Amino acid sequence: AAGVIQSPRHLIKEKRETATLKCYPIPRHDTVYWYQQGPGQDPQFLISFYEKMQSDKGSIPDRFSAQQFSDYHSELNMSSLELGDSALYFCASSCAGSWANYGYTFGSGTRLTVV
Amino acid sequence: SQELEQSPQSLIVQEGKNLTINCTSSKTLYGLYWYKQKYGEGLIFLMMLQKGGEEKSHEKITAKLDEKKQQSSLHITASQPSHAGIYLCGADNEGGSEKLVFGKGTKLTVNP
């Protein structure tokens, strides 16, 4: 079965550079969530989108922005990267109508290393 | 903000032994999710519990939700090396919110 696809799997950037992470949700899933997991930390919710509109916002820095496109894929744009941005970034997707029963599915994550 | 406490933080067991991981919330639980994570990899959905007293099982893993105690437990029977990993509980503390807050995880090692 198709899963949540994230790209790239690994990314190395220098400080002050920009990074773009992509997420392709499970087909027919209309909601996308982004989480950040620092080394040894629990995942922290960043932002979510439902039907291409931002639906909820968590601890996302102002340097980050995200959007969901017409094909439901989402991109997380990160500018002026800092060393502390090094983390695993997870995307998850769900179908709003069935979320209460099935929760959502995570992708394998993008490991961002800022040097 | 919510606090999800997981215990123990780490656990080392011999293959074949049973074990239990607990997750306690400081807020009302509207939904409790269990995920497994291999180091540096994605979160694999295990189970979701919503109703007090609910209990679900999948293969050798059973999870229960005690709504009154705002607590869930994950029990593994006859553990195997393949069970090793980090177990994370995630909670919906806002009732209908689709964002989860996570505990800090329990690292499980199963020695053959």
Side-chain angles (χ1 to χ4, degrees):
Chain A
V4 177
I5 306 298
Q6 289 188 247
S7 68
R9 286 298 308 274
H10 302 274
L11 189 58
I12 300 175
K13 291 285 186 178
E14 295 188 354
K15 284 193 302 183
R16 292 179 289 278
E17 282 193 320
T18 298
T20 297
L21 279 54
K22 298 185 178 182
C23 170
Y24 297 86
I26 291 174
R28 290 183 293 281
H29 277 194
D30 49 24
T31 310
V32 168
Y33 315 79
W34 286 96
Y35 282 81
Q36 177 193 57
Q37 186 179 29
Q41 301 297 313
D42 51 297
Q44 296 290 321
F45 173 75
L46 292 178
I47 195 167
S48 62
F49 293 88
Y50 167 66
E51 286 291 345
K52 292 150 279 185
M53 298 288 289
Q54 180 181 311
S55 55
D56 207 343
K57 193 173 181 180
S59 52
I60 184 170
D62 292 340
R63 299 176 289 108
F64 294 5
S65 64
Q67 57 182 323
Q68 186 179 31
F69 295 86
S70 58
D71 64 351
Y72 294 100
H73 94 272
S74 178
E75 294 184 3
L76 178 66
N77 298 294
M78 311 158 69
S79 62
S80 303
L81 287 170
E82 302 173 356
L83 295 178
D85 295 329
S86 296
L88 265 173
Y89 290 84
F90 289 107
C91 170
S93 74
S94 72
C95 178
S98 60
W99 178 85
N101 293 321
Y102 302 107
Y104 46 69
T105 304
F106 281 88
S108 297
T110 293
R111 179 174 291 283
L112 172 66
T113 303
V114 182
V115 296
Chain B
S1 62
Q2 72 81 34
E3 290 287 341
L4 272 184
E5 292 289 333
Q6 281 189 241
S7 62
Q9 288 186 337
S10 65
L11 191 55
I12 302 174
V13 300
Q14 205 66 30
E15 182 177 359
K17 296 295 185 183
N18 303 335
L19 62 104
T20 300
I21 299 170
N22 293 303
C23 176
T24 303
S25 173
S26 60
K27 290 187 172 183
T28 300
L29 285 171
Y30 293 95
L32 193 289
Y33 300 75
W34 284 101
Y35 287 88
K36 178 185 174 184
Q37 184 180 30
K38 291 285 191 182
Y39 178 74
E41 298 182 7
L43 282 72
I44 300 168
F45 173 77
L46 295 175
M47 268 167 276
M48 180 181 74
L49 305 165
Q50 285 188 294
K51 301 174 184 176
E54 187 173 14
E55 180 175 324
K56 288 186 177 178
S57 294
H58 177 67
E59 297 180 345
K60 295 183 178 179
I61 302 176
T62 301
K64 301 178 185 179
L65 178 63
D66 186 330
E67 201 172 56
K68 290 182 180 178
K69 292 184 179 179
Q70 297 176 177
Q71 184 179 63
S72 177
S73 60
L74 186 81
H75 184 76
I76 299 178
T77 304
S79 59
Q80 300 170 359
S82 61
H83 287 126
I86 299 171
Y87 289 81
L88 289 155
C89 62
D92 165 15
N93 286 132
E94 297 182 9
S97 167
E98 296 184 13
K99 65 182 179 186
L100 297 183
V101 288
F102 286 89
K104 297 200 178 298
T106 295
K107 183 180 178 182
L108 172 63
T109 303
V110 181
N111 290 326

